[in-house]
């Protein structure tokens, strides 16, 4: 009877195992191709790299990562602590407005800062009559680190704010009764409890930093991504570019390992949410904190949008034509369809993870999510090689030149974004709920429709919107893998800003920003992104 049961289980779940293996292999193929590039090493070329720019590259990338980590920690955790723990004018609105930089592509903020604060920009022209000398915003790590910090701090802010808001009020009150000041409560109680969420947010911000190409290229700041592009473009060495990319994979693996280690075996049981801030401020302190938060929004959102609006007003008559409707529709169709496919794959992986919990499977899923740290240009190169292999294997040209390669690139790149929200929702479903439903006679179909989907709905919608926003802003992979004539708003921005036509790039930038803001408003409307 036992052997018959085992045989039945094997027959039932073998297709699921095959599906899981196929999905994981599909996501790992570009990374495996990059690793296979080490089979042949061009020692002369690597010697040239070592003699010319490798040490500078390592130092620059390390400086950028450290600066962005420090900036996102300071900004994300500090703002989250203020909006959760203190009452001040406009707190409820500001709590949500601080998430809006999610909608701002980093390369858009970069060219706005360059157009505003560079030598010929509005800011330095305004300072010059007062005798203030020229300063170079492109010099050193400050410029790109500032832009990436302002764009990526919401990852830390969102997770830290949720962690602070879900902490037990009784624990905070106990600390106050024992004589702890608000700062002592922060360092001794709230920060240690929120550490896993903060580590996850910083990991996401740093993976985005490692993968960024547009911002560092506009600031002429050499990092691994610009070097990879240079090796591919100047030396025509796909193998050397792939070998450099594997170094980024190692860093990404290290970041994911730190995040997992930080989370450890803790269980994230949701506590009663803090309805009211537990600490109070004097009136002048309330207005100071409100002004501080508004200053952050002024720098990261309000000034850039005003500058973009001025440029768009000056150039819209010359720039606008019927092609914009085509670019807008292409961006929308591509983002929606690819986001649906990515979320569906993330759901399948999570369901199979839940069913086949094992260490090898968790390791495979961890590796499958490393694509988030791959620069788009490198991912595109890896996928083109894989598609070429598929073409020769099946004697067809279908795999290159169509949407399949582009969809695969988006899935590999953003599966980590979709995986997280679904994973967190799935892990909160108590086994007793499923057992109770089964005892009441619910079959598999009813379990899916009446239990799993309603409980997973917030995570699925959050995953879809986040992936949609990322895909609508994605540039390098879209540029290289899109079908002929399938241009998007991001490509239009890149083509114009690469020629320093910032005024004309403002029109598509505002449209892209509008799409992002609408996506965030939908999340807020659904009470998923408050």
């Amino acid at each position: 009877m036992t052997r018959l049961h085992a045989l039945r289980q094997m027959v039932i779940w073998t297709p699921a195992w095959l599906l899981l293996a196929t999905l994981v292999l599909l996501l790992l193929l570009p990374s495996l191709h990059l690793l296979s590039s080490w089979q042949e090493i061009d020692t002369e070329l690597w010697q040239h790299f070592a003699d010319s720019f490798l040490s500078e590259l390592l130092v620059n990338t390390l400086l950028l990562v450290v600066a962005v980590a420090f900036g996102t920690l300071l900004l994300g955790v500090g703002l989250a602590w203020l909006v959760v723990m203190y009452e001040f004018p406009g707190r409820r609105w500001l709590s949500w407005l601080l998430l809006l930089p999610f909608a701002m592509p980093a390369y858009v903020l970069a060219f706005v800062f360059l157009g505003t604060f560079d030598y010929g920009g509005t800011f330095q022209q305004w300072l010059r009559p007062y005798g203030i000398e020229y300063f170079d915003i492109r010099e050193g790590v400050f410029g790109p680190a500032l832009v990436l910090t302002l764009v990526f701090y919401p990852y830390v802010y969102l997770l830290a704010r949720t962690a602070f808001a879900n902490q037990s009020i009784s624990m905070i009150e106990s600390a106050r009764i024992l004589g702890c000041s608000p700062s002592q409560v922060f360092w001794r109680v709230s920060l240690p409890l929120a550490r896993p969420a903060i580590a996850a947010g910083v990991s996401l911000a740093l993976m985005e930093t490692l993968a960024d190409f547009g911002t560092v290229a506009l600031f002429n700041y050499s990092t691994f991504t610009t070097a990879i592009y240079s090796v591919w473009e100047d030396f025509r060495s796909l193998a050397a570019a792939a070998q450099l990319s594997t170094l980024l994979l190692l860093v990404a693996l290290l970041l994911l390992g730190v995040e997992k280690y930080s989370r450890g075996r803790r269980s994230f049981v949701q506590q009663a949410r803090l309805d009211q801030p537990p600490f109070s401020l004097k009136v002048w302190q309330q207005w100071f904190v409100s002004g501080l938060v508004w200053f952050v929004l002024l720098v990261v959102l309000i000034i850039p949008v005003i500058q973009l609006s001025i440029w768009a007003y000056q150039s819209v008559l010359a720039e606008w034509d019927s092609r914009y409707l085509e670019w807008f529709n292409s961006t929308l169709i591509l983002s929606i369809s690819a986001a649906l496919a990515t979320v569906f794959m993330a759901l399948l992986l999570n369901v199979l993870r839940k069913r086949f919990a094992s260490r090898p499977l968790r390791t495979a899923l961890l590796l499958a999510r490393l694509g988030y740290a791959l620069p788009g240009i490198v991912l595109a190169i890896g996928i083109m090689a894989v598609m070429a292999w598929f073409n020769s294997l099946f004697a067809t040209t279908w795999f290159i030149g169509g949407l399949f390669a582009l969809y695969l690139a988006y899935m590999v790149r953003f599966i980590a974004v979709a995986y997280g929200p679904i994973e967190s929702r799935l892990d909160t479903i108590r086994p007793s709920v499923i057992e109770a439903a089964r005892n009441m006679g619910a079959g598999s179909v009813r379990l899916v429709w009446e239990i799993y989907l309603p409980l997973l709905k917030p995570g699925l919608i959050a995953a879809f919107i986040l992936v949609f926003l990322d895909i609508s802003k994605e540039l390098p992979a879209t540029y290289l893998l899109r079908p002929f004539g399938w241009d998007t708003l991001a490509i239009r921005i890149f083509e114009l800003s690469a020629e320093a036509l910032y005024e004309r790039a403002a029109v598509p930038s505002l449209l892209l920003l509008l799409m992002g803001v609408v996506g965030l408003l939908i999340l807020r409307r659904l009470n998923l992104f408050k």
Side-chain angles (χ1 to χ4, degrees), residues 233-252:
E233 181 73 12
D234 300 335
F235 296 92
R236 294 293 172 187
S237 176
L238 191 60
Q243 289 160 6
L244 275 175
S245 305
T246 57
L247 301 180
L248 277 183
L249 272 179
L250 290 177
V251 178

Side-chain angles (χ1 to χ4, degrees), residues 416-478:
V417 179
Y419 190 89
I422 299 172
E423 179 189 30
S424 61
R425 293 297 304 184
L426 192 60
D427 288 347
T428 59
I429 299 176
R430 296 177 184 275
S432 58
V433 175
I434 306 302
E435 288 300 321
R438 287 191 184 279
N439 291 336
M440 294 175 68
S444 299
V445 175
R446 284 192 67 189
L447 273 177
V448 171
W449 282 105
E450 298 182 14
I451 303 294
Y452 279 110
L453 282 182
L455 292 176
L456 288 175
K457 183 180 173 183
L460 290 171
I461 294 176
F464 171 79
I465 296 292
L466 291 173
V467 176
F468 171 85
L469 293 178
D470 275 331
I471 291 176
S472 65
K473 295 182 292 184
E474 207 282 336
L475 176 63
T478 309

Side-chain angles (χ1 to χ4, degrees), residues 354-392:
K354 201 72 174 175
R355 180 61 183 85
F356 303 111
S358 66
R359 186 180 292 275
L361 173 60
R362 288 197 296 269
T363 304
L365 291 174
L366 180 67
L367 293 174
R369 285 179 282 156
L370 284 178
Y372 194 61
L374 280 176
I377 186 75
V378 176
L379 181 59
I381 291 170
I383 285 183
M384 278 195 288
V386 172
M387 292 299 107
W389 180 70
F390 278 167
N391 274 354
S392 63

